[in-house]
Amino acid sequence: MTQPNAPNAMETETEAETRRTLHLCNICGFCTGLCAVFRSAERRPALTRADLDHLAHLCHNCRACWYACQYAPPHAFAINVPATLARQRAESYRRYAWPRPLAGLLARSGIATTAVALFTTLLVPLLTLLWVPGEVLFAAHRAEGAFYRVIPWGVMSAVATLTLGFSVLAVGVGLVRYWRDIGRGGPPAVSVWRALPAAARDLFTLRNLEGGGGGCNDRSERPGHTRRRLHHALFYGFLLCLAATIVAAGYHHFLHWQAPYPLFSLPTLLGTVGGLSMVTGAAGMIRLKRGADPAPTAADTLPADYALLGLLLATAATGLLLLALRQTPAMGLILALHLGTVLGFFVMIPYSKFVHGAYRAASLLRAAMERPTDRPTGLSQGLS
Amino acid sequence: MPPEPYDVLVIGGGLAALCAALAAREAGASVLLAERAPKALRGGNARHSRNLRIAHDAPSPLFPGKYAVEEFIHDLETAHQGHGDPELVRLLARGSAELPGWLQARGVRFQLPERGALPWSRKTAFFLGGGRTLMNTLYAAAADRGVEIRYDTHVTHLHLEDARVHTVPTRGPEGDAVLRARRVVCCSGGYQADRRALAAAGCPGARHYINRGSPHVTGDLLLQLLDQGAAPAGVPGSCHRVAVHACSPPEDGGIVTRVDGMPWGLVVDVHGRRFRDEGEEITPRRYSAWGRWVSDLPGARAHLILDDAGLQRAPPSLYAPVTANTLEDLGRRLGLPPGALERTVQRYHAARVDGGDDPLAHHTTGLTPPKSRCALPLEGPPFHAWTLAPGVTFTGHGLAVDPRGRIRRRHGPPCGTLYAAGMIMSPAVLGPGYVAGAALTLCAVSGRIAGEAAARG
């Protein structure tokens, strides 16, 4: 089998540590049942930089391997797979960031995300206050098109299209480069299309947060399923909100029916359930992180996690607040506040922790394409 | 007024100890478990383990095929070389069958081949996440059931005598203390971590050994009990060794320190001479075979010499090899006598018979020792080398026990209130031998038996 490259001067400290760690994992092999990382690492023994990035993105940070590891500190080998892979992911986000000059935003993603989000969250209400006459802004609008009396539809949709469009492009460029790099190892066992169902199952069930069945080690050595459920709440809540927006756009363009929609209309129902779900998920994940055992955590990656969770929480919470108060004179300012958070989110999609979803999906797909060649092996026998 | 004694004191913190503590507690006893290691390093050598050998009559989600109790007994008889107690051998093989269910009921998970988790084998079941996850689960189950657990608690002495209440001295970071219990189950293992004790027992090269397992398994209680008249089992000074990297940590290196791939190169001693047919053993027994062979060498060290092709063929190795552009330079860097390595390689090349496309078919003629397989040319530069040392795992010398786990005396009936389980008594079943996954099964089965017997008095 291939021995991994000797350390070279070109690699970063994080990369060297990730290679040392996963090379030891490949020799040990005790964690192969826990998640996709370890079996994928066995398929890529050379552990090139792209291999390390791919394996890091496969890691869902369930921390089961930390508690399973016979080589975790205080052992002399001081192996810390979850923290090491979290650092590798953070580096990888910067490596694939586009355009390059903006990669710096990901170096301090926590601060950048927070600063940009705060800026847009204050900027939009401020501009609204400056531009919109008080008697319009502080009136109770109840009729169809009420929102657009405060902020015109054209402005709203132009800003959204520009920012979201740029962000999708930026993520797309990074993703294409990433996909090319992780596919250089050789032809996969099956095609993209044949691997799609398995990859989709892994992605949408977060199978790799199950620790092989027992769950993640959210807080301690005792595993559980809390984190996976909270992530589901956040992720599916987000999808519901996205669906609400798409349905609303359909109503607007095809039925010529303008927002706000009644409480029991499809967009409002989707948005309400989605928003509540997002708030539950994001708040729960923040709480879980704060109570987590710090040992398997890369503390330097936490600000980015909290910043994204905080931004998603703020977006969902202001959306729900808007729903609650949309018939009152406070609607105008709350709408501006909500759109400010949404704008911050749109702008920061490629430069915050949010990008993890894109790279992870790509790696899950690639792993599903390579997996079918695996064959059971029964030679290694523990302390034989 | 001293505190009320526990019904059962379990000494040790590995698999046998946890199974004994759970079985005793579930039988209604109050149980105290004294683990010598700190919490982070708890679990004895089970920390480094991964599979249990289990008899089963039919395929199941855990295993393909069938592994009958009789076949298990046969495998044990082959390994123990006449040292195993036939009754205990049968108890172990039979007791193995219900282990997966018993462990699963206490939260333990196994790797299921249907989930695509590798590896799987007909005879053994693999823990999901390996031995440390197993032990985390059992410690949690024990705590949930009311077993009192004390870490950093080293039992320093045990009297081989029956008592209404045993008074047991301990040492820990907070000083000396005394534990009181009506019955004691001793699961403190062999003496492999104490190289001096191993050498004194009849293993002269032990001071050169690397201990692959827990540094806490020094066997002081085992040796004390033997001195006090406990009946011995197995062979004094015998131990299970595999070839490991000589640069491994002296303790606790576990599975990753093993060296493999000897058939792809030449193995020389500290004089630069070959001493063994590198192609002789290519089954899973090769690890322990090389452990034994290297142990018998002067200084218990050897060097595996490879070229680039050999390095590519060898399984991934934890440590980078020593690399040089000439054999002369490599020999110098390994501290071999000048010219010795070149002469060895020269003689080897002269004796090579080409085997065509099948690497296994290449061999030597007229060379002593021969290389019967994989005798490919050593084509440098560069040349690479790993230095090998024996890595000890457990001792093949321990206590004899009766079928309830009570410690036997050399003279007279077994002790009524002192029990032993796990690697401290494994030589009563395995002798000085080794069967993959059997030691761990023995720990669990003997722990359950002794724990339950101790609880019932």
Side-chain angles (χ1 to χ4, degrees):
Chain A
M1 199 169 288
T2 320
Q3 311 287 337
N5 306 342
N8 63 60
M10 297 296 290
E11 70 186 358
T12 65
E13 225 173 277
T14 298
E15 219 179 310
E17 178 62 6
T18 309
R19 182 171 295 119
R20 179 186 85 92
T21 301
L22 291 174
H23 178 53
L24 186 136
C25 293
N26 271 347
I27 299 168
C28 174
F30 280 26
C31 291
T32 49
L34 295 181
C35 72
V37 171
F38 300 98
R39 287 175 59 209
S40 301
E42 288 179 349
R43 280 180 229 124
R44 293 165 176 254
L47 298 174
T48 65
R49 175 181 279 175
D51 293 337
L52 300 179
D53 285 345
H54 169 61
L55 297 167
H57 287 300
L58 279 178
C59 168
H60 291 43
N61 201 15
C62 82
R63 305 145 68 96
C65 62
W66 161 264
Y67 297 95
C69 186
Q70 55 190 314
Y71 300 114
H75 192 281
F77 290 156
I79 294 296
N80 190 338
V81 178
T84 304
L85 294 188
R87 293 199 180 96
Q88 179 78 24
R89 277 195 297 280
E91 256 191 37
S92 166
Y93 301 145
R94 297 205 283 282
R95 194 150 32 239
Y96 290 98
W98 183 89
R100 295 298 307 156
L102 291 183
L105 286 174
L106 277 156
R108 310 198 59 134
S109 173
I111 291 174
T113 305
T114 311
V116 170
L118 278 178
F119 176 73
T120 57
T121 305
L122 295 175
L123 179 73
V124 177
L126 201 66
L127 291 179
T128 310
L129 274 171
L130 288 177
W131 257 304
V132 182
E135 64 273 19
V136 178
L137 182 56
F138 296 108
H141 303 279
R142 289 185 183 148
E144 202 180 312
F147 296 152
Y148 310 127
R149 296 234 161 81
V150 180
I151 299 177
W153 182 85
V155 174
M156 213 189 275
S157 60
V159 172
T161 309
L162 279 177
T163 52
L164 187 60
F166 181 81
S167 288
V168 168
L169 175 73
V171 172
V173 171
L175 195 57
V176 167
R177 288 184 180 160
Y178 177 68
W179 181 254
R180 224 184 284 148
D181 282 353
I182 64 172
R184 286 191 210 283
V190 300
S191 69
V192 169
W193 305 112
R194 281 197 42 210
L196 262 183
R201 178 202 59 194
D202 292 349
L203 183 66
F204 290 109
T205 63
L206 294 178
R207 189 173 145 97
N208 288 288
L209 269 183
E210 289 175 355
C216 322
N217 293 81
D218 303 317
R219 288 171 184 275
S220 71
E221 68 204 29
R222 289 176 187 246
H225 293 282
T226 314
R227 179 137 155 270
R228 190 164 55 91
R229 286 172 190 149
L230 288 170
H231 193 286
H232 277 329
L234 181 54
F235 176 67
Y236 287 104
F238 179 82
L239 287 190
L240 288 176
C241 292
L242 193 66
T245 312
I246 292 168
V247 172
Y251 282 8
H252 186 100
H253 287 285
F254 301 112
L255 305 181
H256 307 290
W257 180 14
Q258 294 193 353
Y261 302 106
L263 204 52
F264 290 102
S265 66
L266 192 54
T268 315
L269 278 177
L270 288 171
T272 308
V273 176
L276 288 170
S277 183
M278 279 181 74
V279 167
T280 311
M285 285 181 75
I286 289 171
R287 208 172 146 249
L288 206 58
K289 268 188 199 294
R290 289 172 56 89
D293 177 355
T297 306
D300 37 323
T301 63
L302 277 179
D305 296 1
Y306 283 128
L308 176 65
L309 288 169
L311 176 53
L312 291 172
L313 181 62
T315 310
T318 51
L320 291 170
L321 193 66
L322 178 62
L323 174 73
L325 301 179
R326 62 184 181 173
Q327 298 199 323
T328 71
M331 182 273 275
L333 264 189
I334 293 170
L335 173 69
L337 195 68
H338 177 58
L339 292 180
T341 61
V342 173
L343 179 63
F345 169 67
F346 281 0
V347 169
M348 288 310 286
I349 283 176
Y351 312 109
S352 67
K353 172 78 188 284
F354 194 79
V355 286
H356 79 279
Y359 297 120
R360 179 150 306 149
S363 275
L364 286 172
L365 181 57
R366 182 72 204 181
M369 290 161 68
E370 295 173 0
R371 198 156 48 219
T373 48
D374 289 3
R375 292 281 174 273
T377 55
L379 280 184
S380 352
Q381 301 281 346
L383 273 185
S384 62
Chain B
M1 186 69 191
E4 181 63 14
Y6 289 87
D7 293 331
V8 175
L9 166 66
V10 176
I11 304 172
L15 181 59
L18 267 289
C19 290
L22 280 164
R25 182 74 195 113
E26 289 169 15
S30 62
V31 179
L32 173 66
L33 181 136
E35 158 68 310
R36 185 174 167 185
K39 188 180 175 199
L41 296 172
R42 70 187 179 187
N45 281 355
R47 257 165 63 75
H48 294 298
S49 71
R50 71 188 305 194
N51 55 346
L52 287 171
R53 181 166 288 244
I54 301 293
H56 50 102
D57 289 330
S60 75
L62 291 182
F63 318 90
K66 169 185 170 178
Y67 183 46
V69 169
E70 296 313 313
E71 191 184 350
F72 193 171
I73 290 174
H74 174 78
D75 288 344
L76 290 170
E77 283 168 347
T78 310
H80 70 52
Q81 301 154 32
H83 289 275
D85 174 335
E87 199 174 352
L88 296 181
V89 166
R90 261 197 310 280
L91 270 179
L92 169 61
R94 278 206 211 110
S96 75
E98 58 188 64
L99 261 191
W102 190 82
L103 289 170
Q104 280 167 330
R106 282 145 194 86
V108 174
R109 286 170 185 272
F110 292 93
Q111 295 204 13
L112 301 179
E114 60 165 26
R115 243 187 113 98
L118 313 177
W120 66 332
S121 76
R122 179 171 70 92
K123 296 181 179 179
T124 67
F126 287 78
F127 307 120
L128 183 68
R132 194 164 175 220
T133 299
L134 162 81
M135 297 312 294
N136 287 344
T137 309
L138 292 181
Y139 271 98
D144 289 347
R145 286 160 175 77
V147 172
E148 192 180 322
I149 296 163
R150 289 198 199 157
Y151 299 105
D152 284 312
T153 304
H154 179 194
V155 172
T156 54
H157 193 81
L158 198 55
H159 282 291
L160 183 73
E161 60 181 21
D162 285 323
R164 203 180 53 77
V165 173
H166 291 272
T167 303
V168 178
T170 67
R171 191 173 304 143
E174 275 136 53
D176 294 352
V178 167
L179 302 176
R180 301 173 73 242
R182 295 188 178 87
R183 283 168 299 279
V184 178
V185 186
C186 193
C187 309
S188 49
Y191 47 82
Q192 67 274 7
D194 184 346
R195 313 312 194 272
R196 222 174 297 171
L198 197 52
C203 184
R207 67 195 173 91
H208 303 294
Y209 288 6
I210 280 168
N211 171 28
R212 299 172 70 212
S214 165
H216 301 289
V217 195
T218 52
D220 16 349
L221 297 183
L222 164 58
L223 296 168
Q224 281 175 22
L225 291 167
L226 288 172
D227 278 350
Q228 294 173 65
V235 179
S238 67
C239 53
H240 177 69
R241 295 149 298 196
V242 304
V244 300
H245 285 286
C247 56
S248 308
E251 318 276 347
D252 226 12
I255 191 171
V256 298
T257 56
R258 288 193 307 198
V259 185
D260 196 6
M262 281 61 132
W264 302 116
L266 294 182
V267 184
V268 300
D269 63 12
V270 292
H271 305 300
R273 291 190 290 250
R274 291 179 61 249
F275 57 93
R276 199 77 212 185
D277 174 3
E278 294 90 347
E280 176 184 335
E281 185 60 87
I282 55 170
T283 69
R285 283 190 296 272
R286 63 192 183 277
Y287 295 108
S288 54
W290 281 104
R292 234 172 21 246
W293 297 335
V294 174
S295 300
D296 293 338
L297 295 175
R301 289 293 182 276
H303 308 285
L304 167 60
I305 315 291
L306 298 161
D307 58 8
D308 271 349
L311 192 65
Q312 288 298 312
R313 286 195 162 104
S317 171
L318 184 61
Y319 296 104
V322 173
T323 297
N325 275 330
T326 62
L327 285 170
E328 186 192 356
D329 191 22
L330 189 67
R332 191 167 39 238
R333 296 182 60 185
L334 296 174
L336 303 179
L341 189 57
E342 294 94 304
R343 276 195 299 279
T344 299
V345 173
Q346 221 164 28
R347 257 181 240 141
Y348 165 71
H349 278 150
R352 272 189 64 244
V353 177
D354 198 274
D357 288 343
D358 178 9
L360 290 176
H362 296 256
H363 61 279
T364 60
T365 55
L367 189 67
T368 315
K371 189 171 180 191
S372 58
R373 293 190 187 101
C374 309
L376 297 159
L378 201 69
E379 290 174 325
F383 299 98
H384 312 280
W386 279 309
T387 301
L388 318 181
V392 63
T393 309
F394 58 83
T395 44
H397 177 211
L399 300 178
V401 299
D402 77 356
R404 295 170 63 195
R406 298 182 300 184
I407 297 174
R408 289 189 194 273
R409 294 185 170 95
R410 270 200 294 271
H411 308 289
C415 293
T417 53
L418 287 179
Y419 299 75
M423 297 315 287
I424 195 173
M425 51 66 69
S426 75
V429 183
L430 298 169
Y434 169 77
V435 184
L440 212 59
T441 301
L442 174 139
C443 289
V445 172
S446 64
R448 279 186 68 189
I449 291 173
E452 202 178 320
R456 307 217 185 278

